[in-house]
Amino acid sequence: MTDVNGISIGILGGTGDQGKGLARRFALAGHPVLIGSRSAERAQEAADSIGAGVSGQAVSGLSVSGAANADVAARADVVIVAVPYDGHRELLVSLRAELAGKIVIDCVNPLGFDKQGAHALQVEEGSAAQQAAAVLPDSRVVAAFHHVSAMLLLDESVAKVDLDVLVLGDDREATDLVQALAAVIPGVRGVYGGRLRNAHQVEAFTANLISINRRYKAHAGLRITDV
Amino acid sequence: MTDVNGISIGILGGTGDQGKGLARRFALAGHPVLIGSRSAERAQEAADSIGAGVSGQAVSGLSVSGAANADVAARADVVIVAVPYDGHRELLVSLRAELAGKIVIDCVNPLGFDKQGAHALQVEEGSAAQQAAAVLPDSRVVAAFHHVSAMLLLDESVAKVDLDVLVLGDDREATDLVQALAAVIPGVRGVYGGRLRNAHQVEAFTANLISINRRYKAHAGLRITDV
């Protein structure tokens, strides 16, 4: 498996639950984590809250800092995009230079919500990940981490997360690295899930997981059998 | 769980691998199975081959017969649609009367194939299952059995199939019954997977499973965690 030891991870939109949950797990695994936000102050607050521990018990030895999205995009080795779909394209267009040459991991789920629950939104490029690839031609875009439950990632009583992270992309070296990154979270496997053109259904499946969670009062995830 | 004891199951397109695999497993579970095909003769041949056992060792006590698709649609209690996507709409339109009032289980995956592998096709109605619901307004359409591996279903050495069958639909009584039907196959659970409008990504995910199978030399399936 690709060696990811010491790689620094930036998280754009890292003040949201999903981003903060991933930040916490990567920091616990020993990675330097940079939380990005439109506001550097709010990013630093989120970073401080992770260092302080979710239940108020400080966690020693974590390297988590906060900064504006552009700083994070420029400084981190690998960048995770965890912003709401609304604003996704605009943010990435603005960071094209900072993200050039980097592995960019898109975990955005374009979903709508109404009285009948969640449903997938149409994306002109096919998927959020393909949109990222279209606006970041000089980056190595990988789709992953769509189905992680922010609640489980942030829950101090959950030592292991029972989940396979599907990793999609057209660049084998990049998907291998992201699979290895997924595996630093205890319990998680990174499983190759196909090319970027098949990312839509992985993003959209989050709507089904929301329906499953509602029906079964669960925090459902996927496991791939026979792999 | 809904009692499905003795329910007869018709399988349109039951001479294909997926249909035949399902026919075999339902027959082994004690259900009367009717295999449908455009040709009644080929349907009967497929039925005979299941009764004869995959490896040539006859299986006693199975109730499997073959007939033309329209006969099967008229006679079976519950009907599974396992035809290729090409021809799906046309067949269902022609069987509207026979399928009226019945639970119709659509397991069709609209996929295209090229040098880069499988990919999801656009379906005007959103998904094959929604297409079935649109052309069968008097039937109770449920989407399920998309990810079952025909090879595993037909393999006599596979006693248990390690898989959750996602069951989608807007009619709770119908999805409950189909969940119970899925569970008669040893190892399989039927898990509610959302409303019919979220069927597209479940159908399309079969393309990802094909990519996974190729990468890992596996017969991959899904399990839903925490359910």
Side-chain angles (χ1 to χ4, degrees):
Chain A
M1 201 182 279
T2 307
D3 180 12
V4 292
N5 195 26
I7 280 183
S8 68
I9 301 170
I11 305 185
L12 308 180
T15 56
D17 281 344
Q18 194 187 13
K20 214 156 91 174
L22 288 171
R24 175 171 176 272
R25 295 286 172 168
F26 287 125
L28 286 171
H31 289 276
V33 173
L34 295 92
I35 289 186
S37 172
R38 273 175 297 187
S39 147
E41 289 73 36
R42 284 197 292 124
Q44 189 56 51
E45 281 168 26
D48 291 344
S49 79
I50 289 170
V54 177
S55 63
Q57 177 129 32
V59 187
S60 64
L62 300 191
S63 168
V64 193
S65 56
N69 279 324
D71 284 340
V72 166
R75 283 160 50 201
D77 295 324
V78 169
V79 177
I80 297 177
V81 185
V83 298
Y85 175 60
D86 187 29
H88 174 259
R89 180 204 298 263
E90 195 185 4
L91 175 72
L92 295 183
V93 166
S94 76
L95 299 178
R96 194 177 285 174
E98 290 84 348
L99 295 173
K102 296 196 178 182
I103 292 177
V104 174
I105 307 171
D106 203 291
C107 64
V108 171
N109 298 312
L111 298 181
F113 295 87
D114 59 23
K115 277 193 294 186
Q116 300 197 328
H119 58 95
L121 297 178
Q122 289 273 356
V123 177
E124 193 187 327
E125 293 84 355
S127 61
Q130 287 165 289
Q131 182 177 90
V135 302
L136 300 173
D138 302 323
S139 301
R140 304 162 77 186
V141 175
V142 172
F145 298 110
H146 305 88
H147 303 150
V148 291
S149 159
M151 281 192 57
L152 297 184
L153 293 177
L154 288 168
D155 188 336
E156 287 178 344
S157 73
V158 175
K160 284 190 169 191
V161 182
D162 186 8
L163 180 81
D164 285 343
V165 164
L166 292 168
V167 177
L168 294 90
D170 302 334
D171 174 334
R172 176 71 186 256
E173 200 181 63
T175 56
D176 281 354
L177 183 141
V178 176
Q179 285 180 245
L181 264 188
V184 307
I185 303 174
V188 171
R189 292 193 308 176
V191 175
Y192 174 71
R195 289 176 173 273
L196 222 53
R197 68 175 181 175
N198 282 320
H200 165 72
Q201 49 266 31
V202 176
E203 299 172 0
F205 192 75
T206 305
N208 301 74
L209 288 172
I210 291 169
S211 302
I212 291 168
N213 287 344
R214 187 186 284 196
R215 170 68 61 93
Y216 296 98
K217 307 193 189 320
H219 298 294
L222 290 187
R223 285 289 190 191
I224 305 295
T225 60
D226 200 33
V227 164
Chain B
M1 201 182 279
T2 307
D3 180 12
V4 292
N5 195 26
I7 280 182
S8 67
I9 301 170
I11 305 185
L12 308 180
T15 56
D17 281 343
Q18 194 186 14
K20 215 155 91 173
L22 288 170
R24 176 170 176 271
R25 295 286 172 168
F26 287 126
L28 287 171
H31 289 276
V33 173
L34 296 91
I35 289 185
S37 172
R38 274 175 296 186
S39 148
E41 289 73 36
R42 284 197 292 125
Q44 189 57 51
E45 281 167 26
D48 291 344
S49 78
I50 289 170
V54 176
S55 62
Q57 176 127 33
V59 188
S60 65
L62 300 191
S63 169
V64 193
S65 56
N69 280 323
D71 284 342
V72 167
R75 285 158 50 202
D77 294 326
V78 168
V79 177
I80 297 177
V81 185
V83 298
Y85 175 60
D86 185 31
H88 174 259
R89 181 205 298 264
E90 194 186 4
L91 175 72
L92 295 182
V93 166
S94 77
L95 299 177
R96 195 177 283 173
E98 290 85 347
L99 294 172
K102 296 197 177 181
I103 292 176
V104 174
I105 307 171
D106 202 291
C107 64
V108 172
N109 297 312
L111 298 182
F113 295 86
D114 59 24
K115 277 193 293 186
Q116 300 198 328
H119 58 95
L121 297 178
Q122 288 273 356
V123 178
E124 193 189 326
E125 294 84 353
S127 62
Q130 287 165 291
Q131 182 177 89
V135 303
L136 300 173
D138 302 323
S139 301
R140 304 163 77 185
V141 174
V142 172
F145 298 110
H146 305 88
H147 303 151
V148 292
S149 157
M151 281 193 58
L152 296 183
L153 293 176
L154 288 168
D155 187 336
E156 287 177 344
S157 73
V158 175
K160 285 190 168 189
V161 182
D162 186 9
L163 180 81
D164 286 342
V165 164
L166 292 167
V167 177
L168 294 91
D170 302 334
D171 174 333
R172 175 72 185 254
E173 200 181 63
T175 56
D176 281 354
L177 183 140
V178 176
Q179 286 179 245
L181 265 188
V184 307
I185 302 174
V188 171
R189 294 192 306 176
V191 174
Y192 174 71
R195 290 177 173 272
L196 223 52
R197 69 175 178 173
N198 282 320
H200 165 72
Q201 51 266 30
V202 175
E203 298 173 0
F205 191 75
T206 305
N208 301 74
L209 289 173
I210 291 169
S211 301
I212 292 167
N213 287 343
R214 185 185 287 196
R215 170 69 60 96
Y216 296 98
K217 306 195 189 317
H219 299 293
L222 291 186
R223 285 289 189 190
I224 306 294
T225 60
D226 200 33
V227 164

